[in-house]
Amino acid sequence: MAACTMTMVEKNAGIEVVIGKFDANVVFSEPLPPLPEINTVVGLKGQQHAESNQKGKREIGLGRNAVATCFPITEPDDNDESTGDKEAYMASVLARYRKNLLERTKYNLGYAYNFDFDYGALAPLQHFFINNLGDPFVENNYAVHAKQFEIGVLDWFARLWEIEKNEYWGYVTHCGTEGNFHGILAGRENFPDGILYASGESHYSVFKAARLYRMNCVKVGCLVSGEIDCADLRLKLLANTDKPAILNVNIGTTVKGAVDDLDLVIQTLNECGFSKDRFYIHCDGALFGFMMPFIKHAPKVSFKKPIGSICVSGHKFLGCPMPCGVHLTRLEHINAFSNNVGYLASRDATIMGSRNGHASIFLWYALNRKGYKGFQKEVQKCLGNAHYLKDRLHEVGISAMLNELSNTVVFERPRDEEFIKRWQLICEGNIAHVVTMPNVSQEKLDDFIAELVEKRSIWYADQKVQPPCFAAALGSQNCACKLHRL
């Protein structure tokens, strides 16, 4: 490339700017500065703490992230192309990391992720940058996309949730939180002065959306099961009958796996004087929104009912190897806030701009491989294992609860944090939970119970400390404390 030889003098606000000759062959020759042997960490209160790597130990200052190790970035040597040392180093790091992944995957019981998948057939597509820019239903100028897969996935869920193709709009999201953001935004844009109602057991993203959108948010009480308390909902609706209602309905809460009674919520709205044109219901079905349609006696979550939107996570029950989700709403709702973007040659109706096209392909592949019957079998296995775990915990005298339509078993929080980390349990207050996903076997549950029983024999060995009462958190019928087990 020839060097630029133009010299130009410009005057801007009285300041002379000189642009001289530019030599394209000139590069910065200074190497990256060396890493200091001792780093300074600023704590929560501003104090400086020294980090030391002596004898393999690393001191963590206050406010430091809990992840205390990292894989450092190193510069290739000048002769690396011939020696291949850099490639060998990276291969060894990745091999150790893969071994660690295999080990940690064995012990995840708290997070609702399905590790039972095989997407080897999709490996050749990893060589492509696939970006589903803009509206899935609008073709734009960027041609390396997977919108044809995305719409196939959306049509499948439209059948599952009973809405006609010409009546819905949706897209494959980055995660369940984005689905919640979009559903609540659709409610706010259709009812700008509406009040958001959500139970205290709702996912934190619901309350985050309320803060981001500066919405008036009313928190509704819950039953012991974690389900929304419609008696409390009634009181709070009646206190605000002059404003439209935007409701978040949980199809499986995060901690207790409780399913809000959608029919009762709708009935409560009607009885409080809210007609269909004065409320918007978003259904957060991150995990169980995908499972409920395959359970015969479960109440239906369907667009035949007056709901506005529903979302699920693709990396949970479905088993996608990357965070993603599926969000559907009514087409009439999306028209309220979508805009055309000229340089995209598309419509802006999503939360994010660029979207992972690979996620749509993975979801499409999983849906095709398993189909309705395959998912039905997996739901049956998950629920069966959940009942197995709950019954075993009760047999060994451990307080535990299982909601009827759930695969989330809630039990007393273990006293050992190392045990919690080992099994990657989700804890809140004095309770913890295990989610029996398709990759969780009864053998794994037996190992977990055996280790938990062994640990409890140590925690409560001297009889001076007794397991606490869990009646308030789990219900007296599920509590195994000394008072309730008599």
Short mmCIF file of all heavy atoms in Angstrom, two decimals, residues 51-101:
data_model
loop_
_atom_site.label_atom_id
_atom_site.label_comp_id
_atom_site.label_asym_id
_atom_site.label_seq_id
_atom_site.Cartn_x
_atom_site.Cartn_y
_atom_site.Cartn_z
N GLU A 51 -1.84 -8.56 45.84
CA GLU A 51 -2.07 -9.95 45.47
C GLU A 51 -0.72 -10.65 45.41
O GLU A 51 0.24 -10.13 44.86
CB GLU A 51 -2.72 -10.04 44.08
CG GLU A 51 -4.18 -9.65 44.07
CD GLU A 51 -4.75 -9.86 42.68
OE1 GLU A 51 -3.96 -9.78 41.72
OE2 GLU A 51 -5.93 -10.12 42.56
N SER A 52 -0.67 -11.82 45.95
CA SER A 52 0.59 -12.56 45.94
C SER A 52 0.38 -13.93 45.32
O SER A 52 -0.62 -14.59 45.56
CB SER A 52 1.10 -12.74 47.38
OG SER A 52 2.22 -13.60 47.40
N ASN A 53 1.33 -14.34 44.47
CA ASN A 53 1.26 -15.66 43.86
C ASN A 53 2.27 -16.61 44.50
O ASN A 53 2.58 -17.66 43.96
CB ASN A 53 1.54 -15.56 42.35
CG ASN A 53 0.37 -14.93 41.63
OD1 ASN A 53 -0.77 -15.27 41.90
ND2 ASN A 53 0.66 -14.00 40.73
N GLN A 54 2.80 -16.23 45.64
CA GLN A 54 3.82 -17.05 46.28
C GLN A 54 3.23 -18.38 46.72
O GLN A 54 2.14 -18.45 47.28
CB GLN A 54 4.41 -16.31 47.47
CG GLN A 54 5.16 -15.04 47.09
CD GLN A 54 5.65 -14.30 48.31
OE1 GLN A 54 5.43 -14.73 49.43
NE2 GLN A 54 6.35 -13.20 48.08
N LYS A 55 4.00 -19.44 46.46
CA LYS A 55 3.63 -20.79 46.87
C LYS A 55 2.26 -21.20 46.35
O LYS A 55 1.52 -21.95 46.98
CB LYS A 55 3.66 -20.92 48.41
CG LYS A 55 5.02 -20.65 49.01
CD LYS A 55 5.00 -20.82 50.51
CE LYS A 55 6.36 -20.54 51.11
NZ LYS A 55 6.37 -20.69 52.59
N GLY A 56 1.89 -20.65 45.17
CA GLY A 56 0.63 -21.05 44.55
C GLY A 56 -0.59 -20.45 45.17
O GLY A 56 -1.70 -20.77 44.79
N LYS A 57 -0.41 -19.56 46.17
CA LYS A 57 -1.57 -18.96 46.82
C LYS A 57 -1.87 -17.61 46.19
O LYS A 57 -0.99 -16.90 45.75
CB LYS A 57 -1.30 -18.79 48.32
CG LYS A 57 -1.17 -20.12 49.06
CD LYS A 57 -0.95 -19.88 50.54
CE LYS A 57 -0.84 -21.20 51.28
NZ LYS A 57 -0.62 -21.00 52.73
N ARG A 58 -3.15 -17.27 46.18
CA ARG A 58 -3.57 -16.00 45.61
C ARG A 58 -4.53 -15.33 46.58
O ARG A 58 -5.58 -15.90 46.90
CB ARG A 58 -4.24 -16.22 44.27
CG ARG A 58 -4.66 -14.95 43.54
CD ARG A 58 -5.33 -15.33 42.23
NE ARG A 58 -5.80 -14.16 41.51
CZ ARG A 58 -5.10 -13.50 40.60
NH1 ARG A 58 -3.88 -13.90 40.32
NH2 ARG A 58 -5.61 -12.46 39.98
N GLU A 59 -4.16 -14.17 47.07
CA GLU A 59 -5.03 -13.47 48.00
C GLU A 59 -6.03 -12.63 47.22
O GLU A 59 -5.68 -11.94 46.27
CB GLU A 59 -4.19 -12.56 48.90
CG GLU A 59 -3.25 -13.35 49.82
CD GLU A 59 -2.43 -12.43 50.69
OE1 GLU A 59 -2.68 -11.22 50.65
OE2 GLU A 59 -1.54 -12.94 51.39
N ILE A 60 -7.28 -12.72 47.62
CA ILE A 60 -8.34 -12.01 46.94
C ILE A 60 -8.77 -10.81 47.77
O ILE A 60 -9.16 -10.96 48.93
CB ILE A 60 -9.55 -12.93 46.68
CG1 ILE A 60 -9.11 -14.22 45.99
CG2 ILE A 60 -10.62 -12.21 45.86
CD1 ILE A 60 -8.46 -14.00 44.65
N GLY A 61 -8.70 -9.62 47.18
CA GLY A 61 -9.14 -8.43 47.89
C GLY A 61 -10.65 -8.35 47.93
O GLY A 61 -11.35 -8.99 47.14
N LEU A 62 -11.19 -7.57 48.87
CA LEU A 62 -12.63 -7.39 48.95
C LEU A 62 -13.15 -6.82 47.64
O LEU A 62 -12.57 -5.92 47.05
CB LEU A 62 -12.96 -6.44 50.11
CG LEU A 62 -12.73 -6.99 51.52
CD1 LEU A 62 -12.99 -5.90 52.55
CD2 LEU A 62 -13.62 -8.20 51.78
N GLY A 63 -14.28 -7.36 47.20
CA GLY A 63 -14.86 -6.89 45.97
C GLY A 63 -14.32 -7.59 44.75
O GLY A 63 -14.78 -7.38 43.63
N ARG A 64 -13.35 -8.46 44.94
CA ARG A 64 -12.77 -9.19 43.82
C ARG A 64 -13.72 -10.31 43.39
O ARG A 64 -14.41 -10.90 44.22
CB ARG A 64 -11.43 -9.81 44.25
CG ARG A 64 -10.64 -10.45 43.13
CD ARG A 64 -9.96 -9.39 42.28
NE ARG A 64 -9.08 -10.00 41.31
CZ ARG A 64 -8.31 -9.34 40.48
NH1 ARG A 64 -8.30 -8.04 40.51
NH2 ARG A 64 -7.55 -9.97 39.62
N ASN A 65 -13.75 -10.59 42.12
CA ASN A 65 -14.60 -11.68 41.63
C ASN A 65 -14.16 -12.99 42.25
O ASN A 65 -12.97 -13.21 42.49
CB ASN A 65 -14.52 -11.75 40.10
CG ASN A 65 -15.57 -12.66 39.51
OD1 ASN A 65 -15.47 -13.86 39.63
ND2 ASN A 65 -16.57 -12.08 38.88
N ALA A 66 -15.11 -13.89 42.48
CA ALA A 66 -14.81 -15.16 43.13
C ALA A 66 -13.93 -16.05 42.27
O ALA A 66 -13.29 -16.97 42.77
CB ALA A 66 -16.11 -15.89 43.48
N VAL A 67 -13.93 -15.83 40.96
CA VAL A 67 -13.08 -16.65 40.08
C VAL A 67 -11.64 -16.17 40.24
O VAL A 67 -11.27 -15.10 39.76
CB VAL A 67 -13.52 -16.54 38.61
CG1 VAL A 67 -12.61 -17.37 37.72
CG2 VAL A 67 -14.96 -16.98 38.46
N ALA A 68 -10.84 -16.97 40.93
CA ALA A 68 -9.51 -16.51 41.32
C ALA A 68 -8.42 -16.92 40.35
O ALA A 68 -7.27 -16.53 40.50
CB ALA A 68 -9.17 -17.07 42.71
N THR A 69 -8.74 -17.74 39.37
CA THR A 69 -7.73 -18.18 38.41
C THR A 69 -8.11 -17.72 37.02
O THR A 69 -9.26 -17.44 36.73
CB THR A 69 -7.61 -19.72 38.41
OG1 THR A 69 -8.88 -20.29 38.07
CG2 THR A 69 -7.17 -20.23 39.76
N CYS A 70 -7.11 -17.63 36.15
CA CYS A 70 -7.39 -17.26 34.77
C CYS A 70 -6.37 -17.93 33.87
O CYS A 70 -5.33 -18.42 34.32
CB CYS A 70 -7.33 -15.74 34.58
SG CYS A 70 -5.65 -15.09 34.55
N PHE A 71 -6.66 -17.98 32.59
CA PHE A 71 -5.72 -18.44 31.59
C PHE A 71 -5.11 -17.19 30.96
O PHE A 71 -5.78 -16.49 30.20
CB PHE A 71 -6.40 -19.30 30.52
CG PHE A 71 -7.03 -20.55 31.06
CD1 PHE A 71 -8.36 -20.85 30.79
CD2 PHE A 71 -6.29 -21.42 31.84
CE1 PHE A 71 -8.94 -22.01 31.28
CE2 PHE A 71 -6.86 -22.59 32.34
CZ PHE A 71 -8.19 -22.88 32.06
N PRO A 72 -3.86 -16.86 31.29
CA PRO A 72 -3.28 -15.60 30.81
C PRO A 72 -3.07 -15.59 29.30
O PRO A 72 -2.91 -16.64 28.66
CB PRO A 72 -1.93 -15.55 31.54
CG PRO A 72 -1.60 -16.97 31.84
CD PRO A 72 -2.91 -17.65 32.09
N ILE A 73 -3.12 -14.41 28.73
CA ILE A 73 -2.82 -14.22 27.31
C ILE A 73 -1.33 -13.93 27.18
O ILE A 73 -0.81 -13.03 27.83
CB ILE A 73 -3.62 -13.03 26.73
CG1 ILE A 73 -5.11 -13.19 27.01
CG2 ILE A 73 -3.36 -12.90 25.23
CD1 ILE A 73 -5.74 -14.40 26.40
N THR A 74 -0.64 -14.72 26.38
CA THR A 74 0.80 -14.54 26.18
C THR A 74 1.06 -14.26 24.70
O THR A 74 0.33 -14.71 23.82
CB THR A 74 1.58 -15.78 26.61
OG1 THR A 74 1.14 -16.91 25.85
CG2 THR A 74 1.37 -16.06 28.10
N GLU A 75 2.13 -13.52 24.45
CA GLU A 75 2.48 -13.16 23.08
C GLU A 75 3.28 -14.28 22.42
O GLU A 75 4.14 -14.91 23.06
CB GLU A 75 3.32 -11.87 23.08
CG GLU A 75 2.54 -10.64 23.50
CD GLU A 75 1.40 -10.36 22.54
OE1 GLU A 75 1.66 -10.19 21.34
OE2 GLU A 75 0.24 -10.33 23.00
N PRO A 76 3.02 -14.55 21.13
CA PRO A 76 3.81 -15.58 20.43
C PRO A 76 5.26 -15.15 20.30
O PRO A 76 5.57 -13.97 20.20
CB PRO A 76 3.14 -15.66 19.05
CG PRO A 76 1.81 -14.97 19.19
CD PRO A 76 1.99 -13.96 20.27
N ASP A 77 6.17 -16.13 20.32
CA ASP A 77 7.58 -15.84 20.07
C ASP A 77 7.78 -15.52 18.59
O ASP A 77 6.96 -15.87 17.74
CB ASP A 77 8.45 -17.04 20.46
CG ASP A 77 8.40 -17.31 21.96
OD1 ASP A 77 8.23 -16.33 22.72
OD2 ASP A 77 8.51 -18.49 22.36
N ASP A 78 8.92 -14.86 18.30
CA ASP A 78 9.20 -14.49 16.91
C ASP A 78 9.29 -15.71 16.00
O ASP A 78 8.92 -15.66 14.83
CB ASP A 78 10.52 -13.70 16.84
CG ASP A 78 10.38 -12.34 17.50
OD1 ASP A 78 9.23 -11.86 17.64
OD2 ASP A 78 11.42 -11.76 17.91
N ASN A 79 9.79 -16.82 16.54
CA ASN A 79 9.97 -18.03 15.71
C ASN A 79 8.83 -19.03 15.90
O ASN A 79 8.99 -20.20 15.60
CB ASN A 79 11.30 -18.69 16.04
CG ASN A 79 11.34 -19.15 17.50
OD1 ASN A 79 10.50 -18.76 18.30
ND2 ASN A 79 12.33 -19.99 17.82
N ASP A 80 7.70 -18.55 16.42
CA ASP A 80 6.63 -19.49 16.79
C ASP A 80 6.04 -20.22 15.59
O ASP A 80 5.59 -21.35 15.71
CB ASP A 80 5.52 -18.74 17.53
CG ASP A 80 4.53 -19.70 18.16
OD1 ASP A 80 4.93 -20.44 19.06
OD2 ASP A 80 3.36 -19.73 17.70
N GLU A 81 6.04 -19.58 14.42
CA GLU A 81 5.47 -20.23 13.23
C GLU A 81 6.22 -21.51 12.89
O GLU A 81 5.63 -22.46 12.38
CB GLU A 81 5.47 -19.26 12.05
CG GLU A 81 4.45 -18.14 12.19
CD GLU A 81 4.36 -17.30 10.93
OE1 GLU A 81 4.96 -17.72 9.91
OE2 GLU A 81 3.72 -16.25 10.96
N SER A 82 7.50 -21.52 13.17
CA SER A 82 8.29 -22.71 12.83
C SER A 82 8.30 -23.73 13.97
O SER A 82 8.28 -24.94 13.75
CB SER A 82 9.74 -22.31 12.49
OG SER A 82 10.34 -21.62 13.58
N THR A 83 8.28 -23.22 15.22
CA THR A 83 8.36 -24.16 16.36
C THR A 83 7.00 -24.71 16.76
O THR A 83 6.90 -25.83 17.26
CB THR A 83 8.99 -23.47 17.57
OG1 THR A 83 8.15 -22.37 17.98
CG2 THR A 83 10.38 -22.93 17.24
N GLY A 84 5.95 -23.91 16.58
CA GLY A 84 4.61 -24.38 16.97
C GLY A 84 4.39 -24.43 18.46
O GLY A 84 3.45 -25.07 18.94
N ASP A 85 5.28 -23.77 19.23
CA ASP A 85 5.14 -23.81 20.70
C ASP A 85 3.82 -23.22 21.17
O ASP A 85 3.21 -23.71 22.11
CB ASP A 85 6.31 -23.06 21.35
CG ASP A 85 7.63 -23.80 21.19
OD1 ASP A 85 7.57 -25.01 20.87
OD2 ASP A 85 8.69 -23.18 21.39
N LYS A 86 3.39 -22.12 20.53
CA LYS A 86 2.16 -21.46 20.94
C LYS A 86 0.95 -22.36 20.75
O LYS A 86 0.09 -22.47 21.62
CB LYS A 86 1.98 -20.17 20.14
CG LYS A 86 0.80 -19.32 20.59
CD LYS A 86 1.04 -18.70 21.95
CE LYS A 86 -0.02 -17.68 22.27
NZ LYS A 86 0.23 -17.03 23.57
N GLU A 87 0.88 -23.03 19.61
CA GLU A 87 -0.24 -23.95 19.34
C GLU A 87 -0.26 -25.10 20.35
O GLU A 87 -1.32 -25.51 20.82
CB GLU A 87 -0.15 -24.50 17.92
CG GLU A 87 -0.38 -23.48 16.82
CD GLU A 87 -1.79 -22.91 16.83
OE1 GLU A 87 -2.72 -23.65 17.22
OE2 GLU A 87 -1.96 -21.73 16.47
N ALA A 88 0.93 -25.60 20.68
CA ALA A 88 1.02 -26.69 21.65
C ALA A 88 0.56 -26.23 23.03
O ALA A 88 -0.15 -26.96 23.73
CB ALA A 88 2.45 -27.21 21.71
N TYR A 89 0.95 -25.00 23.39
CA TYR A 89 0.52 -24.45 24.68
C TYR A 89 -0.99 -24.32 24.74
O TYR A 89 -1.63 -24.73 25.72
CB TYR A 89 1.19 -23.09 24.91
CG TYR A 89 0.51 -22.25 25.96
CD1 TYR A 89 0.61 -22.54 27.31
CD2 TYR A 89 -0.27 -21.14 25.59
CE1 TYR A 89 -0.03 -21.78 28.27
CE2 TYR A 89 -0.91 -20.36 26.54
CZ TYR A 89 -0.79 -20.69 27.88
OH TYR A 89 -1.42 -19.93 28.82
N MET A 90 -1.59 -23.73 23.71
CA MET A 90 -3.04 -23.53 23.71
C MET A 90 -3.78 -24.87 23.71
O MET A 90 -4.81 -25.02 24.36
CB MET A 90 -3.45 -22.69 22.50
CG MET A 90 -2.99 -21.24 22.59
SD MET A 90 -3.71 -20.17 21.32
CE MET A 90 -3.00 -20.88 19.84
N ALA A 91 -3.24 -25.85 22.98
CA ALA A 91 -3.87 -27.17 22.95
C ALA A 91 -3.87 -27.80 24.34
O ALA A 91 -4.85 -28.44 24.75
CB ALA A 91 -3.16 -28.07 21.95
N SER A 92 -2.78 -27.62 25.08
CA SER A 92 -2.70 -28.21 26.43
C SER A 92 -3.68 -27.52 27.37
O SER A 92 -4.33 -28.18 28.20
CB SER A 92 -1.28 -28.10 26.98
OG SER A 92 -0.92 -26.75 27.21
N VAL A 93 -3.82 -26.19 27.24
CA VAL A 93 -4.78 -25.46 28.08
C VAL A 93 -6.19 -25.93 27.79
O VAL A 93 -6.99 -26.20 28.70
CB VAL A 93 -4.66 -23.94 27.86
CG1 VAL A 93 -5.81 -23.20 28.54
CG2 VAL A 93 -3.32 -23.43 28.39
N LEU A 94 -6.54 -26.05 26.53
CA LEU A 94 -7.89 -26.47 26.14
C LEU A 94 -8.17 -27.90 26.56
O LEU A 94 -9.30 -28.23 26.95
CB LEU A 94 -8.08 -26.31 24.63
CG LEU A 94 -8.08 -24.87 24.11
CD1 LEU A 94 -8.10 -24.84 22.59
CD2 LEU A 94 -9.27 -24.11 24.67
N ALA A 95 -7.16 -28.75 26.51
CA ALA A 95 -7.34 -30.15 26.94
C ALA A 95 -7.64 -30.22 28.43
O ALA A 95 -8.52 -30.97 28.87
CB ALA A 95 -6.10 -30.97 26.60
N ARG A 96 -6.90 -29.42 29.22
CA ARG A 96 -7.15 -29.40 30.66
C ARG A 96 -8.53 -28.81 30.96
O ARG A 96 -9.24 -29.28 31.86
CB ARG A 96 -6.08 -28.57 31.38
CG ARG A 96 -4.70 -29.20 31.37
CD ARG A 96 -3.78 -28.56 32.41
NE ARG A 96 -3.68 -27.12 32.26
CZ ARG A 96 -2.78 -26.51 31.48
NH1 ARG A 96 -1.93 -27.23 30.76
NH2 ARG A 96 -2.74 -25.19 31.43
N TYR A 97 -8.91 -27.79 30.19
CA TYR A 97 -10.22 -27.17 30.38
C TYR A 97 -11.34 -28.15 30.06
O TYR A 97 -12.33 -28.24 30.79
CB TYR A 97 -10.33 -25.93 29.50
CG TYR A 97 -11.66 -25.23 29.57
CD1 TYR A 97 -12.15 -24.71 30.77
CD2 TYR A 97 -12.46 -25.11 28.43
CE1 TYR A 97 -13.38 -24.08 30.83
CE2 TYR A 97 -13.68 -24.48 28.49
CZ TYR A 97 -14.14 -23.97 29.69
OH TYR A 97 -15.36 -23.36 29.75
N ARG A 98 -11.18 -28.91 28.99
CA ARG A 98 -12.19 -29.91 28.62
C ARG A 98 -12.33 -30.96 29.71
O ARG A 98 -13.44 -31.38 30.07
CB ARG A 98 -11.82 -30.58 27.29
CG ARG A 98 -12.87 -31.59 26.81
CD ARG A 98 -12.48 -32.20 25.47
NE ARG A 98 -13.53 -33.06 25.00
CZ ARG A 98 -13.69 -34.33 25.35
NH1 ARG A 98 -12.82 -34.88 26.22
NH2 ARG A 98 -14.68 -35.07 24.88
N LYS A 99 -11.20 -31.38 30.28
CA LYS A 99 -11.24 -32.36 31.37
C LYS A 99 -12.00 -31.80 32.56
O LYS A 99 -12.79 -32.50 33.20
CB LYS A 99 -9.81 -32.74 31.77
CG LYS A 99 -9.74 -33.82 32.84
CD LYS A 99 -8.30 -34.18 33.16
CE LYS A 99 -8.23 -35.25 34.26
NZ LYS A 99 -6.83 -35.59 34.60
N ASN A 100 -11.77 -30.52 32.85
CA ASN A 100 -12.48 -29.86 33.95
C ASN A 100 -13.98 -29.78 33.66
O ASN A 100 -14.80 -30.00 34.56
CB ASN A 100 -11.92 -28.45 34.17
CG ASN A 100 -12.63 -27.69 35.26
OD1 ASN A 100 -13.53 -26.91 34.99
ND2 ASN A 100 -12.25 -27.94 36.51
N LEU A 101 -14.34 -29.49 32.41
CA LEU A 101 -15.76 -29.42 32.04
C LEU A 101 -16.43 -30.77 32.24
O LEU A 101 -17.56 -30.85 32.76
CB LEU A 101 -15.91 -28.98 30.58
CG LEU A 101 -15.58 -27.53 30.25
CD1 LEU A 101 -15.75 -27.29 28.75
CD2 LEU A 101 -16.47 -26.57 31.03
#
